[in-house]
């Protein structure tokens, strides 16, 4: 008898392939097999500008996707088991899964379809957590911020530097 290995989680395998290709500095990655959940997850990532265009190739077996990478993705993955999340519990899950609220997204399956956490909050719905994706803080362009403080008495005194006169 020949033992065959069974593929347990298609989404997990695709997301691992994406992270590994990003870390290797590749510009494209081939994902296979693919299902509807993977396609919808990638569309959310594409809408948030974490990945580029992708092409679905139907090879009459399990479909393939050729995905263009933008180099913005630091980590993505599935969350297993798929816990139920309410709107009230969304903040706690975001704090637990994401490194910061501003740099990542949680993807949920809801009664409205597969949404990211921001869309789920707008639609006032919860759901089951599918996965997450985020980029590192090094990819962000920070603008300088000046802190204003009141002048100290030393600032009002004359300068200690010798005058050039």
């Amino acid at each position: 008898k020949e033992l065959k290995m069974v593929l347990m989680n298609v989404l997990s395998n695709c997301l691992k392939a994406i992270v590994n290709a990003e870390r290797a500095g590749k510009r494209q990655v081939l994902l296979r097999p693919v299902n509807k959940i993977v396609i919808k997850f990638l569309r959310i990532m594409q809408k948030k500008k974490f990945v580029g265009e992708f092409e679905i190739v139907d090879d009459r077996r399990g479909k393939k996707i050729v995905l263009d990478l933008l180099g913005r993705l630091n980590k993505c993955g599935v969350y297993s088991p798929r816990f139920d999340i309410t709107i009230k519990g969304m903040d706690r899950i975001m704090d637990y899964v994401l490194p910061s609220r501003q740099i990542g997204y949680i993807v949920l399956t809801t009664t409205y379809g597969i949404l990211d956490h921001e869309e789920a909050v707008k639609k006032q719905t919860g759901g089951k957590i599918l996965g997450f994706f985020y980029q590192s803080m090094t990819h962000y362009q920070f603008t300088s911020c000046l802190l204003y403080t009141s002048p100290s008495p030393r600032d009002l005194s004359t300068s200690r530097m010798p005058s050039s006169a």
Side-chain angles (χ1 to χ4, degrees):
K1 280 187 171 180
E2 184 179 324
L3 296 176
K4 290 191 177 184
M5 198 164 153
V6 178
L7 188 62
M8 295 300 291
N9 195 336
V10 174
L11 179 62
S12 176
N13 288 354
C14 288
L15 295 180
K16 283 179 189 174
I18 293 170
V19 170
N20 290 340
E22 282 275 4
R23 288 183 181 158
K26 306 249 173 135
R27 303 306 297 159
Q28 283 188 333
V29 63
L30 177 68
L31 306 174
R32 69 179 212 281
V34 176
N35 58 18
K36 289 182 200 176
I37 294 173
V38 173
I39 294 169
K40 290 179 182 179
F41 200 100
L42 289 176
R43 287 210 173 109
I44 291 173
M45 291 175 75
Q46 185 181 33
K47 188 169 76 172
K48 302 297 180 183
K49 301 200 183 334
F50 279 76
V51 296
E53 299 291 320
F54 61 89
E55 181 183 350
I56 301 169
V57 179
D58 189 6
D59 61 353
R60 306 228 188 258
R61 286 187 284 175
K63 292 185 184 176
K64 298 176 188 175
I65 288 183
V66 178
L67 176 68
D68 293 333
L69 300 174
L70 301 177
R72 293 191 60 206
L73 192 65
N74 190 37
K75 179 90 172 136
C76 64
V78 298
Y79 203 84
S80 181
R82 294 180 179 169
F83 290 114
D84 288 328
I85 300 177
T86 60
I87 297 171
K88 293 178 183 176
M90 195 87 63
D91 290 337
R92 192 176 78 231
I93 293 294
M94 285 173 43
D95 290 341
Y96 184 72
V97 174
L98 301 175
S100 173
R101 291 173 185 261
Q102 291 84 17
I103 63 170
Y105 296 92
I106 294 174
V107 180
L108 308 166
T109 177
T110 68
T111 54
Y112 296 102
I114 295 177
L115 306 172
D116 65 82
H117 69 271
E118 290 177 347
E119 293 172 356
V121 169
K122 284 179 189 171
K123 294 188 178 190
Q124 293 290 310
T125 186
K128 291 187 179 286
I129 184 169
L130 279 178
F132 62 93
F133 57 93
Y134 60 86
Q135 69 186 43
S136 67
M137 296 294 285
T138 58
H139 289 92
Y140 276 90
Q141 298 274 335
F142 290 106
T143 57
S144 60
C145 175
L146 298 175
L147 177 66
Y148 175 76
T149 58
S150 59
S152 73
R154 286 191 313 234
D155 294 337
L156 299 176
S157 64
T158 60
S159 173
R160 294 183 207 160
M161 297 296 290
S163 64
S164 58

